């Protein structure tokens, strides 16, 4: 019998482990090989061009056309030496992926002479024919074209696909009138806003600080499965997750996978994609197994935020591409397998000054302690005040399956800070009336920096369940989904932090003006912020039901579905925040909201279709086939006058199969009707809610339940879909 499932299994058994392409002995010898780093730039650029590039990177200075051409020439010389023939503006449209449009250096002069050329204009700005990227109606409102513009703060790099090499210029993507159409533009704006607000606050403590960089270290979780098996499942191929599939007899109960040995085939793949990543300057540091079978994680050394985001986007591309060479498929979806751990992308975030201080690292002197407390408490206040937006920043159709499911943070935004810092905040809070005059000295002499590391070790288990945890010298935003572009949540976090710090400064300055001593004024506002935001702090088990109840009592939002979570983007509060900080104007914000809702609808729509298709064309026909086998068997036995009590069990199975077939058929019909109805809704939010409530929630689980029951009853040799045990355990 022809079966993709069994062919795939046979192929795995027959094939030997794919070897990774030869990798360098030392990471340092390939690291940044394909990146136009400042060191490389120094070599290929004139003094003048180099200086111009440097001041653009460090100080955000504009590069003029002439200088642009000089830099472009240097870039071209470097790229050509490496065998590059094409260049592209590399950008991140609102689909969350990256996009490229390749142009060659090749061109013809007026007289027809062929030459290789890359001028400043081509480096600085392009008009990609990108009208099919989501724009939430923005480009229609203004001007049909969007254009990409060079972001010098992220270095150019060369990608290698097979024999082809392409010079990639990181760019932003905006409409002709300047509205952002990508994820990078608002991120850069939020980085600038935070820089300004944080530098202003730093002046209280150190006048030498002139720049604050947000830092990000992401941890990427993913599943790896055999590509042949995965492609035999239309759901995995089209949606990145399994919409059917019964849990395997051996699940993750044993938890023997966590930190266990990495299977050889996966190891070869890892070495390969890591090697490519190093060439691209992605500083990967760790790799290990995750809790679920076939689940893994990699994490780099943290970097300046904008670069870290680009590197994560690149990494996801590289992983996906390299996996194909190994006949594997990487699943970046947040919940590829029901009942098995999902994947997240923890965003470790902090802020660093140009004087070399991590603003979320506890200080060693009273003065630096106060600086730490300032930024620490402001973060808590920011997350508290804007928890709806923080929640919205991680909302997506795919992350909905993960949040609140086993081993994933709930949809309630809370912060874990550990017992020691809880005590510190309690002490600050209990100074009634903000009488810090004598007490503040003692308070600030606390050995915060010494006590925190120990404390963090004690609490590792607990803080795992928190969506937003302080981990010693940074906050770890854990609710971010594995397939997300970090720019979304990071734009929001940096914006709310900028706003909070701005207000902090206004409040402190007001007290100082009234004659209060600077340190006392700062402590008083810190105290005020602790009181105002402490309800967001939670040290207990975030996965428990008690927490849901407790959170409700505290009045913390618990929004479980994306269409409703996204309402935060439509709120007046969000409009004001983003306009005041120059991140989004109200049109851009409305467009984003619209795009996210549309994306949600599309995702659920595709899942519903795939579910219907698989049920109608694969599962039901198989069930009917088996039904016929049973009927034939029962009729045969009956004809032989065998006592009916002896084939009761076949009869019972047959009846159950009839039942499941009937429920599945009815619901597949009903879901089609529900889709038709939802498609008639013109308001995007209402339509998204219909897709969520009347399609996904109402039908998905029911159809799946009955199909998964059939999987357990039907002859294994005719079941068409690769099973969980095969996907997760065959390596
Ligand atoms: P874990 O125990 O979760 O593995 P690590 O200390 O190894 O914690 O850090 C996890 C991630 O946090 C890494 O990517 C690391 O580079 C990053 N990280 C560490 N310090 C900072 C910081 N100051 N800002 C941002 N990210 C950081
Ligand atoms: Mg982590």
């Amino acid at each position: 019998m022809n079966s993709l499932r069994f062919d795939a299994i046979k192929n795995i058994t027959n094939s030997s482990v794919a070897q990774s392409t030869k990798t360098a002995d030392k990471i340092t010898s390939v690291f940044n090989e394909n990146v136009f780093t400042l060191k490389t730039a120094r070599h290929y650029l004139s003094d003048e061009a180099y200086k111009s590039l440097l001041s653009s990177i460090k100080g955000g200075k504009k590069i003029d056309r002439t200088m642009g051409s000089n830099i472009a020439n240097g870039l071209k010389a470097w790229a050509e030496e490496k065998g590059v023939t094409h260049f592209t503006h590399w950008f991140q449209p609102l689909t969350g992926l990256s996009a490229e449009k390749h142009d060659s250096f090749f061109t013809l002069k007026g007289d027809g002479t062929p030459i290789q050329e890359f001028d400043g204009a081509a480096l600085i700005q392009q008009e990609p024919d990108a009208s099919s990227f989501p724009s939430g109606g923005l480009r229609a409102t203004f001007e049909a074209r969007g254009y990409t513009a060079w972001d010098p703060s992220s270095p150019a790099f060369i990608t290698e696909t097979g024999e082809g090499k392409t010079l990639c210029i990181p760019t932003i993507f905006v409409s002709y009138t300047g509205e952002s159409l990508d994820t990078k533009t608002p991120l850069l704006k939020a980085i600038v806003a935070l820089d300004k607000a944080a530098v202003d606050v730093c002046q209280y403590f150190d006048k030498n600080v002139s720049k604050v960089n947000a830092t990000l270290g992401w941890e990427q979780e993913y599943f790896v499965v055999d590509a042949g098996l995965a492609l035999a499942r239309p759901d995995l191929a089209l949606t990145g997750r399994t919409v059917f599939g019964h849990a395997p007899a051996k699940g993750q109960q044993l938890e023997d996978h966590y930190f266990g040995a990495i299977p050889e085939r996966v190891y070869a793949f890892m070495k390969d994609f890591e090697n490519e990543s190093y060439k691209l300057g992605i500083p990967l540091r760790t790799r290990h197994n995750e809790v679920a079978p076939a689940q893994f994680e990699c994490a780099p050394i943290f970097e300046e935020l904008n670069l870290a985001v680009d590197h994560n986007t690149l990494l996801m591309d590289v992983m996906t591409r390299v996996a194909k060479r190994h006949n594997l498929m990487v699943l970046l979806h947040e919940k590829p397998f029901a009942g098995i751990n999902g994947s997240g992308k923890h965003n470790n975030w902090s802020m660093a000054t140009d004087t070399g201080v991590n603003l979320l690292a506890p200080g060693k002197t009273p003065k630096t302690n106060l600086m730490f407390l300032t930024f620490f408490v402001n973060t808590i206040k920011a997350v508290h005040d804007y928890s709806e937006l923080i929640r919205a920043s991680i909302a997506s159709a795919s992350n909905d399956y993960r949040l609140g499911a086993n081993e994933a943070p709930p949809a309630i935004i809370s912060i874990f800070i550990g017992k020691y810092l809880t005590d510190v905040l309690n002490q600050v809070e209990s100074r009634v009336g903000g009488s810090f005059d004598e007490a503040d000295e003692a308070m600030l002499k606390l050995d915060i920096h010494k006590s925190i590391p120990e404390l963090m070790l004690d609490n590792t288990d607990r803080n795992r369940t928190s969506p937003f945890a302080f981990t010693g010298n940074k906050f770890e935003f854990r609710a971010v989904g594995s397939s997300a572009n970090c720019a979304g949540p990071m734009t929001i976090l940096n914006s709310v932090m900028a706003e909070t710090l701005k207000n902090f400064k206004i409040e402190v300055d007001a007290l100082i003006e009234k004659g209060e001593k600077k340190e006392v004024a700062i402590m008083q506002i810190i105290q005020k912020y602790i009181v105002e935001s402490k309800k967001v702090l939670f040290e207990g088990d975030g996965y428990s039901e008690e927490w849901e109840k407790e959170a409700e009592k505290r009045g913390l939002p618990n929004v479980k579905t994306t269409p409703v979570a996204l309402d935060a983007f439509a709120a007046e509060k969000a409009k004001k925040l983003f306009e005041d900080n120059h991140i989004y104007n109200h049109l851009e914000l409305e467009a984003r909201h619209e795009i996210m809702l549309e994306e949600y609808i599309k995702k659920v729509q595709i899942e519903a279709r795939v579910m219907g298709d698989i049920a109608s064309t694969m599962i039901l026909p198989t069930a009917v086939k088996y039904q016929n086998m049973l009927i034939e068997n029962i009729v045969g036995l009956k004809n032989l006058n065998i006592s009916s009590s002896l084939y009761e069990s076949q009869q019972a199975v047959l009846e159950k199969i009839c039942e499941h077939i009937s429920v599945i058929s009815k619901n597949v019909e009903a879901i089609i009707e529900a889709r038709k109805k939802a498609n008639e809704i013109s308001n995007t939010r209402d339509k998204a809610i219909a897709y969520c409530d009347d399609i996904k929630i109402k039908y998905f689980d029911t159809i799946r339940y009955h199909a998964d029951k059939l999987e357990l009853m039907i002859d294994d040799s005719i079941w068409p879909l690769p099973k969980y045990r095969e996907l997760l355990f065959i390596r």
Side-chain angles (χ1 to χ4, degrees):
M1 164 166 320
N2 254 349
S3 159
L4 281 176
R5 176 182 163 212
F6 289 104
D7 287 351
I9 294 173
K10 205 170 350 149
N11 284 343
I12 300 171
T13 330
N14 292 343
S15 68
S16 54
V17 171
Q19 290 302 311
S20 44
T21 36
K22 196 175 156 9
T23 52
D25 299 335
K26 270 201 187 147
I27 293 167
T28 45
S29 66
V30 290
F31 191 69
N32 269 333
E33 186 180 290
N34 286 343
V35 184
F36 197 67
T37 59
L38 279 175
K39 202 168 147 217
T40 313
R42 189 72 207 84
H43 188 76
Y44 285 88
L45 300 183
S46 67
D47 281 351
E48 219 186 346
Y50 178 75
K51 266 191 213 139
S52 157
L53 179 65
L54 199 63
S55 61
S56 158
I57 294 170
K58 298 256 145 88
K61 282 233 176 66
K62 258 210 155 124
I63 292 173
D64 64 35
R65 288 272 153 140
T66 336
M67 223 29 89
S69 286
N70 285 346
I71 297 171
N73 276 331
L75 263 170
K76 177 170 149 280
W78 169 69
E80 280 181 340
E81 274 175 32
K82 290 185 163 288
V84 171
T85 49
H86 286 65
F87 69 94
T88 178
H89 275 196
W90 182 82
F91 58 104
Q92 297 165 71
L94 293 173
T95 45
L97 307 166
S98 66
E100 304 165 1
K101 179 194 170 222
H102 294 197
D103 277 312
S104 69
F105 292 139
F106 167 80
T107 189
L108 295 175
K109 279 168 85 164
D111 63 357
T113 320
I115 54 160
Q116 301 265 86
E117 185 186 68
F118 184 47
D119 65 10
L123 166 67
I124 292 174
Q125 194 169 314
Q126 289 266 295
E127 283 188 7
D129 176 23
S131 51
S132 58
F133 290 113
S135 69
L138 266 182
R139 267 173 300 155
T141 325
F142 294 92
E143 184 40 82
R145 279 169 187 276
Y147 69 89
T148 52
W150 181 29
D151 164 23
S153 65
S154 184
F157 55 90
I158 294 168
T159 55
E160 300 169 301
T161 325
E163 297 288 294
K165 291 189 177 186
T166 308
L167 172 65
C168 297
I169 314 290
T171 58
I172 57 168
F173 178 38
V174 291
S175 75
Y176 195 72
T177 38
E179 276 76 21
S180 59
L181 298 168
D182 66 345
T183 53
K184 190 193 262 281
T185 311
L187 178 72
L188 290 174
K189 290 178 175 176
I191 287 172
V192 169
L194 178 63
D195 174 22
K196 164 115 192 23
V199 166
D200 284 351
V201 170
C202 281
Q203 298 305 303
Y204 289 136
F205 311 100
D206 183 355
K207 296 263 182 252
N208 294 319
V209 173
S210 62
K211 189 162 176 63
V212 170
N213 278 317
T215 52
L216 168 67
W218 38 262
E219 301 166 60
Q220 178 73 54
E221 290 183 325
Y222 59 95
F223 280 84
V224 181
V225 294
D226 177 76
L229 285 170
L231 292 172
R233 295 198 52 132
D235 49 359
L236 272 182
L238 294 174
T239 72
R241 79 175 186 104
T242 54
V243 300
F244 295 113
H246 202 280
K250 177 182 153 89
Q252 66 192 60
Q253 309 91 324
L254 305 174
E255 304 226 337
D256 54 355
H257 187 72
Y258 200 47
F259 290 118
I262 295 166
E264 212 173 325
R265 232 179 123 196
V266 177
Y267 184 67
F269 154 67
M270 283 179 173
K271 268 181 68 178
D272 227 4
F273 87 69
E274 284 169 357
N275 197 52
E276 290 222 5
S277 301
Y278 293 137
K279 286 198 215 162
L280 291 166
I282 306 171
L284 289 180
R285 182 81 194 281
T286 58
R287 59 161 100 105
H288 60 75
N289 286 356
E290 270 305 318
V291 184
Q295 190 187 29
F296 306 90
E297 178 190 297
C298 65
I301 298 165
F302 72 92
E303 298 174 283
E304 179 268 304
L305 175 52
N306 177 38
L307 189 58
V309 171
D310 282 358
H311 279 166
N312 181 250
T313 306
L314 254 181
L315 175 93
M316 293 195 284
D317 289 348
V318 169
M319 283 170 85
T320 307
R321 202 158 32 76
V322 173
K324 287 191 186 132
R325 289 211 290 264
H326 292 260
N327 199 27
L328 293 167
M329 188 189 273
V330 169
L331 305 176
L332 293 166
H333 193 287
E334 282 76 1
K335 194 80 180 172
F337 303 100
I340 286 184
N341 271 9
S343 300
K345 176 149 49 201
H346 297 175
N347 276 207
N348 294 273
W349 170 87
S350 188
M351 293 152 285
T353 67
D354 56 350
T355 54
V357 176
N358 174 356
L359 291 172
L360 289 174
K364 294 187 173 145
T365 61
K367 199 165 130 197
T368 49
N369 255 348
L370 188 56
M371 179 151 97
F372 160 72
L373 266 187
T374 297
F375 284 90
F376 178 68
V377 170
N378 269 278
T379 311
I380 295 172
K381 167 94 167 139
V383 172
H384 169 272
D385 288 1
Y386 292 94
S387 71
E388 284 98 343
L389 264 182
I390 298 275
R391 165 67 183 94
S393 78
I394 47 138
S396 69
S398 48
N399 211 15
D400 276 3
Y401 290 108
R402 164 178 171 258
L403 294 179
N406 57 325
E407 282 284 327
I412 308 161
I413 298 296
S414 68
I415 306 179
F416 171 96
I417 58 170
K419 186 168 175 314
Y420 186 82
L421 284 166
T422 305
D423 288 347
V424 170
L425 297 196
N426 284 339
Q427 284 182 50
V428 177
E429 192 193 339
S430 61
R431 298 285 146 92
V432 184
S435 56
F436 288 103
D437 277 337
E438 307 113 60
D440 61 338
E441 285 294 311
M443 169 86 51
L444 296 173
K445 280 192 186 120
L446 292 171
D447 263 343
I448 302 186
H449 71 284
K450 277 196 199 140
S451 312
I452 284 178
E454 287 158 41
L455 176 103
M456 286 299 150
L457 286 179
D458 290 349
N459 285 282
T460 38
D461 259 4
R462 265 297 139 96
N463 83 42
R464 265 178 195 290
T465 67
S466 176
F468 202 95
F470 184 70
T471 49
N473 56 5
K474 61 194 183 281
F475 277 97
E476 185 166 347
F477 190 6
R478 299 210 178 94
V480 182
S482 51
S483 71
N485 184 313
C486 303
M490 283 296 113
T491 299
I492 308 273
L493 183 59
N494 287 277
S495 303
V496 300
M497 189 61 181
E499 176 67 19
T500 307
L501 287 170
K502 251 170 41 187
N503 292 328
F504 178 80
K505 179 154 167 41
I506 292 170
E507 296 199 66
V508 171
D509 283 352
L511 287 183
I512 294 174
E513 232 161 76
K514 275 194 206 146
E516 200 64 270
K517 214 175 118 198
K518 183 175 77 183
E519 282 77 12
V520 176
I522 291 171
M523 273 314 251
Q524 285 187 4
I525 302 304
I526 287 179
Q527 185 198 42
K528 175 169 173 272
Y529 282 12
I530 294 171
V531 174
E532 286 170 359
S533 51
K534 68 177 177 187
K535 76 168 193 286
V536 78
L537 299 176
F538 178 63
E539 302 289 305
D541 180 358
Y543 298 164
S544 67
E545 263 175 51
E546 294 86 76
W547 171 228
E548 282 210 36
K549 286 186 200 134
E550 164 72 16
E552 198 183 334
K553 255 195 242 152
R554 294 191 192 181
L556 295 176
N558 182 7
V559 186
K560 295 193 172 163
T561 63
T562 291
V564 182
L566 294 178
D567 283 348
F569 286 107
E572 276 309 312
K573 193 171 163 186
K575 274 186 203 160
K576 187 162 164 20
L577 165 80
F578 290 125
E579 289 206 326
D580 287 357
N581 290 284
H582 312 288
I583 316 287
Y584 297 118
N585 64 35
H586 70 280
L587 285 171
E588 288 173 308
L589 193 62
E590 277 165 27
R592 297 264 146 169
H593 185 205
E594 185 82 6
I595 290 166
M596 287 186 280
L597 286 169
E598 275 167 4
E599 170 154 339
Y600 179 86
I601 294 169
K602 239 182 262 162
K603 289 260 162 79
V604 179
Q605 195 171 45
I606 292 171
E607 287 192 352
R609 282 197 197 125
V610 168
M611 204 163 203
D613 285 355
I614 296 179
S616 306
T617 65
M618 298 174 91
I619 294 177
L620 290 178
T622 309
V624 169
K625 207 182 284 172
Y626 190 55
Q627 206 178 26
N628 286 337
M629 283 158 72
L630 285 172
I631 292 171
E632 203 178 308
N633 173 272
I634 293 167
V635 171
L637 292 167
K638 206 173 186 174
N639 287 345
L640 292 173
N641 287 327
I642 308 275
S643 153
S644 67
S645 65
L646 292 175
Y647 52 85
E648 267 169 0
S649 65
Q650 284 96 312
Q651 207 134 11
V653 171
L654 182 61
E655 272 168 33
K656 283 217 179 96
I657 290 179
C658 293
E659 226 178 277
H660 294 310
I661 289 179
S662 149
V663 179
I664 294 173
S665 314
K666 277 192 195 128
N667 280 287
V668 166
E669 285 292 313
I671 212 173
I672 294 172
E673 287 310 309
R675 254 167 47 210
K676 277 189 199 150
K677 223 167 121 193
N679 289 343
E680 278 161 20
I681 302 172
S682 55
N683 176 292
T684 318
R685 179 181 180 272
D686 293 344
K687 188 168 165 182
I689 288 184
Y691 263 93
C692 176
D693 295 347
D694 305 340
I695 294 171
K696 182 185 124 169
I697 293 177
K698 190 157 174 206
Y699 294 109
F700 281 17
D701 283 352
T702 311
I703 297 177
R704 180 178 190 138
Y705 174 84
H706 290 275
D708 290 356
K709 285 283 173 209
L710 285 175
E711 181 186 324
L712 288 186
M713 297 177 150
I714 288 175
D715 180 359
D716 182 58
S717 70
I718 60 170
W719 189 256
L721 296 168
K723 296 186 170 178
Y724 271 27
R725 62 164 189 258
E726 291 148 3
L727 289 162
L728 295 168
F729 294 102
I730 296 184
R731 286 165 192 157

